[in-house]
Amino acid sequence: MKFLALVRYTMRETLSQKIMILLFAVLTVVIGLFVFTISLNAVNGVVESVSIYGSKPIASSELPSLIPDTAQVFIVFIFIATVVLCVITTAHVIPESLAAGTVVLFLSKPLSRASILLGRYCGVVLGIATIQVYFAGGLWIVYSLKTGGWDFSLLLVCIPLVLSFASMFALMTLLGVAFRSTGLVAAVAFVHATYLTEILAHHAWSSRSFSDVSVLQRAVGALYYILPQVADLRDSAVHILKGQPVFLASYIVAVFSGAVMLAAAVTMFRRMDF
Amino acid sequence: MSIEIHSIVKIYGKESRKKGGVRALAGVSLSVSSGEIFALIGPNGAGKSTLVKILLGIVHPTSGTATILDRPVSDHSARESVGYLPENMHYPPLLTPHAFLHAVGSLHGVRHPELSQRIAFLLELLDMKKWERTAFKKFSKGMMQRIGLAQALVHDPQVLFLDEPSDGLDPIGRKDFRDLLKRLRDEGKTIFMNSHLLSEVELVADRIAVIRSGSILKTGSLNEIVPPIGGFTVTIRGELPEEMYDALSIYPVTTANGLAIIEVPTAADLERLQSMFKTQNIAVESIVARRLTLEESFLSLIKESPR
């Protein structure tokens, strides 16, 4: 119960930030644009033609070439809006939680140090998940209302979306505990979520035998399995949207690496003096 | 005993001083009884905050043990009946006192409706009711301090730790605060406070410990820490009869606000004066043994002790 109280408090604190309120507003505007600018003509849940902002309708015969690209752009936009932005806006949470005036509030309560750190972690992840589900769910409802077909499998996009942020925030929690610097956490998390994850996702070492690759390539390969696989999860979301098979390995690695990072963060936190 | 501390040592940094560690506490032992206001005083860097932080699990001791209500401080459940007012607490600027106190009470496991009643009671008690829905960013330091005290009391703890509690409070606030501490003590709660404001400590503490360079120099009641320096101050209400002027001329006498204050150097003189007052039917308002202030005693103790 005390743990849940901490999760609730952190979630509330996260969502009450001005930047989060602004993000909610922006995402609501995007959902509104989807309502008013895109006209879908559907028969029995199947899209026959699409018209954007009153333009000439695109016939269903042309849609197969259009939908994959649109889906990719759509998912990249959702990831930028709800993963990259949220990573930056939550970078301060753990370092500030460990600042002198704040950490005493938590440590003086009847909670173990592991509960405190995990409670803060879960609160932030649930807060951001609320935003992500609100946005993805909002778009799904609008799409379903316009087409008349309620395809619940599209909602599965929320899983890679939430998992991406959760695994990123595990990394940020570890960095926050180790360095207690918002700037450093924000910089590393931003670089990883935007660039490093792409490099790691496209590395070629796995296609060769282990003895053929250099030490650097082995290190990059190891990083691929240690760090959050945001790019792979994003691609997985595109596969869900396109109705293609989903590769589960990136989900397993995200959960495993997140758990390892949180365990490392808790171990460090338990030994700290403030 | 509410709080028991046995030979607590804390060395920051490297585990030994020879390797560059800084010794903050050098084997501190103390005990605080239930229903007592205990004050820890000392200069900056004496180890006051470190000791409190060890008791609250914020800092790990290098060696030694401590218990609160018979539970070791390393066990987080020891803090179930503990309230803490830190010196410089950070409050989420966009939260309101009501939301904040609700969250803090929940962290202690207090449930609705008891929690709501407790919050309403504390906000009323600390004169913060009208601000309960105002965001912290609009609060003064004194208001923050009152909310800090409310969060320390929200779960009705048995033991209360206060770090510089009068900081930021105006004279009326300090008086209210002292009254509150006395009331809590009378309810049987144990209060452990750190303060630089020795005049405040003097007015409220039952027992005092003086700490310097991580070692306790002296522990005792106010009378033990600040022993009488000899002589008495006798206060009489009203005018002194003329026939006593000669007898009293050997003592310094001052009059103000309808009171005559006589400084008497010895117990024998006091006895002689008392019999004279009895003969003259003069009512004595008070007789107080002359002593240094806590601040004077503290400074002399610190000066005498080796660093």
Side-chain angles (χ1 to χ4, degrees):
Chain A
M1 193 223 163
K2 292 168 201 161
F3 177 77
L4 290 179
L6 179 60
V7 172
R8 217 169 33 237
Y9 171 74
T10 306
M11 198 174 158
R12 186 173 187 163
E13 198 184 40
T14 304
L15 293 177
S16 68
Q17 291 178 86
K18 280 181 186 166
I19 189 88
M20 289 298 169
I21 295 165
L22 184 69
L23 186 59
F24 254 118
V26 169
L27 296 179
T28 305
V29 168
V30 173
I31 294 171
L33 284 174
F34 192 59
V35 171
F36 295 111
T37 60
I38 297 174
S39 171
L40 299 174
N41 299 315
V43 177
N44 295 329
V46 178
V47 177
E48 290 282 304
S49 67
V50 178
S51 167
I52 300 169
Y53 207 60
S55 66
K56 186 183 163 194
I58 301 161
S60 60
S61 56
E62 297 170 47
L63 288 176
S65 62
L66 183 68
I67 284 177
D69 296 337
T70 311
Q72 198 136 1
V73 171
F74 176 72
I75 286 296
V76 168
F77 175 75
I78 291 187
F79 264 75
I80 290 172
T82 67
V83 177
V84 179
L85 280 182
C86 290
V87 156
I88 297 165
T89 53
T90 55
H92 68 283
V93 175
I94 298 299
E96 282 185 8
S97 298
L98 306 187
T102 310
V103 74
V104 291
L105 172 71
F106 300 117
L107 290 177
S108 61
K109 302 292 172 272
L111 286 160
S112 67
R113 290 197 177 202
S115 302
I116 291 169
L117 199 64
L118 294 178
R120 294 294 275 169
Y121 171 83
C122 293
V124 171
V125 169
L126 282 176
I128 299 304
T130 306
I131 295 175
Q132 291 174 321
V133 171
Y134 167 74
F135 187 48
L139 290 175
W140 173 76
I141 289 170
V142 173
Y143 178 80
S144 301
L145 285 172
K146 279 177 179 275
T147 59
W150 295 81
D151 184 358
F152 285 92
S153 65
L154 293 178
L155 269 183
L156 293 176
V157 166
C158 292
I159 296 173
L161 207 57
V162 171
L163 196 57
S164 292
F165 179 78
S167 58
M168 275 305 298
F169 198 65
L171 170 67
M172 291 159 70
T173 301
L174 177 60
L175 292 171
V177 171
F179 299 104
R180 303 194 213 175
S181 160
T182 300
L184 184 106
V185 173
V188 172
F190 179 76
V191 168
H192 179 68
T194 52
Y195 299 107
L196 193 56
T197 185
E198 301 290 345
I199 294 166
L200 294 178
H202 293 98
H203 76 284
W205 80 280
S206 56
S207 60
R208 303 184 210 166
S209 69
F210 195 70
S211 56
D212 290 344
V213 296
S214 68
V215 174
L216 181 67
Q217 283 172 315
R218 280 182 214 173
V220 169
L223 276 181
Y224 174 73
Y225 287 105
I226 292 168
L227 295 172
Q229 299 183 342
V230 179
D232 283 355
L233 289 168
R234 184 201 59 213
D235 293 344
S236 175
V238 174
H239 290 175
I240 291 171
L241 216 58
K242 288 179 183 174
Q244 295 170 347
V246 172
F247 192 49
L248 281 177
S250 52
Y251 291 80
I252 295 164
V253 171
V255 171
F256 180 73
S257 78
V260 169
M261 282 181 207
L262 285 177
V266 167
T267 305
M268 287 169 77
F269 183 51
R270 289 172 76 167
R271 292 176 183 168
M272 284 177 160
D273 285 336
F274 294 93
Chain B
M1 287 291 169
S2 274
I3 304 168
E4 291 266 22
I5 303 166
H6 298 288
S7 310
I8 290 278
V9 173
K10 177 64 189 175
I11 299 171
Y12 284 109
K14 301 278 167 61
E15 283 294 300
S16 108
R17 290 183 74 195
K18 285 178 187 167
K19 290 178 184 170
V22 177
R23 190 182 65 181
L25 294 174
V28 170
S29 296
L30 278 177
S31 56
V32 182
S33 310
S34 299
E36 181 175 61
I37 300 179
F38 186 90
L40 187 62
I41 60 175
N44 289 336
K48 304 186 295 291
S49 294
T50 298
L51 184 59
V52 169
K53 284 179 176 179
I54 285 174
L55 293 174
L56 290 162
I58 297 166
V59 166
H60 301 294
T62 304
S63 66
T65 57
T67 58
I68 296 177
L69 301 172
D70 299 325
R71 289 183 193 173
V73 294
S74 54
D75 177 359
H76 62 83
S77 67
R79 296 187 282 283
E80 270 169 10
S81 292
V82 171
Y84 176 44
L85 170 64
E87 188 180 359
N88 293 310
M89 197 157 98
H90 172 77
Y91 299 87
L94 295 173
L95 280 191
T96 63
H98 190 274
F100 179 69
L101 293 176
H102 207 279
V104 172
S106 303
L107 291 179
H108 276 286
V110 188
R111 290 171 183 236
H112 184 77
E114 187 196 343
L115 180 56
S116 299
Q117 289 164 0
R118 185 80 188 151
I119 291 170
F121 166 74
L122 287 170
L123 290 174
E124 197 71 60
L125 181 73
L126 294 161
D127 199 20
M128 291 297 291
K129 186 77 181 159
K130 62 183 171 185
W131 302 100
E132 68 176 328
R133 305 278 176 189
T134 306
F136 282 124
K137 62 181 180 179
K138 294 181 180 169
F139 279 23
S140 69
K141 193 173 180 192
M143 291 160 85
M144 294 284 202
Q145 198 70 348
R146 284 165 193 263
I147 294 300
L149 193 57
Q151 67 80 29
L153 293 169
V154 75
H155 56 299
D156 197 15
Q158 276 305 303
V159 181
L160 197 56
F161 288 91
L162 308 171
D163 206 348
E164 299 297 343
S166 305
D167 211 17
L169 296 178
D170 58 22
I172 299 166
R174 282 182 192 175
K175 167 77 171 65
D176 292 345
F177 177 72
R178 284 197 303 271
D179 293 343
L180 177 62
L181 290 192
K182 286 174 185 168
R183 181 176 151 178
L184 292 169
R185 176 193 53 197
D186 295 343
E187 287 173 10
K189 306 207 186 300
T190 306
I191 297 162
F192 189 110
M193 62 190 281
N194 271 350
S195 183
H196 285 299
L197 286 172
L198 301 186
S199 54
E200 291 291 316
V201 170
E202 196 167 13
L203 290 170
V204 80
D206 299 315
R207 279 204 312 137
I208 297 165
V210 182
I211 186 169
R212 186 191 189 182
S213 304
S215 300
I216 300 290
L217 299 180
K218 200 169 183 180
T219 310
S221 65
L222 185 63
N223 283 340
E224 289 163 332
I225 298 284
V226 189
I229 54 171
F232 302 86
T233 302
V234 181
T235 305
I236 291 160
R237 185 164 291 282
E239 295 278 312
L240 285 170
E242 278 184 22
E243 51 268 33
M244 286 192 72
Y245 281 8
D246 280 348
L248 291 174
S249 62
I250 53 170
Y251 309 119
V253 180
T254 50
T255 51
N257 302 324
L259 297 172
I261 298 160
I262 309 155
E263 300 294 340
V264 185
T266 64
D269 287 329
L270 178 67
E271 206 171 318
R272 195 166 58 84
L273 269 184
Q274 277 181 304
S275 64
M276 279 170 62
F277 291 145
K278 201 172 177 182
T279 317
Q280 297 284 335
N281 265 338
I282 294 171
V284 176
E285 185 90 0
S286 67
I287 300 171
V288 179
R290 283 171 57 200
R291 60 179 77 244
L292 295 175
T293 62
L294 178 59
E295 185 170 276
E296 288 165 334
S297 290
F298 170 75
L299 291 173
S300 112
L301 200 57
I302 293 292
K303 208 171 174 181
E304 286 166 14
S305 70
R307 289 185 75 86

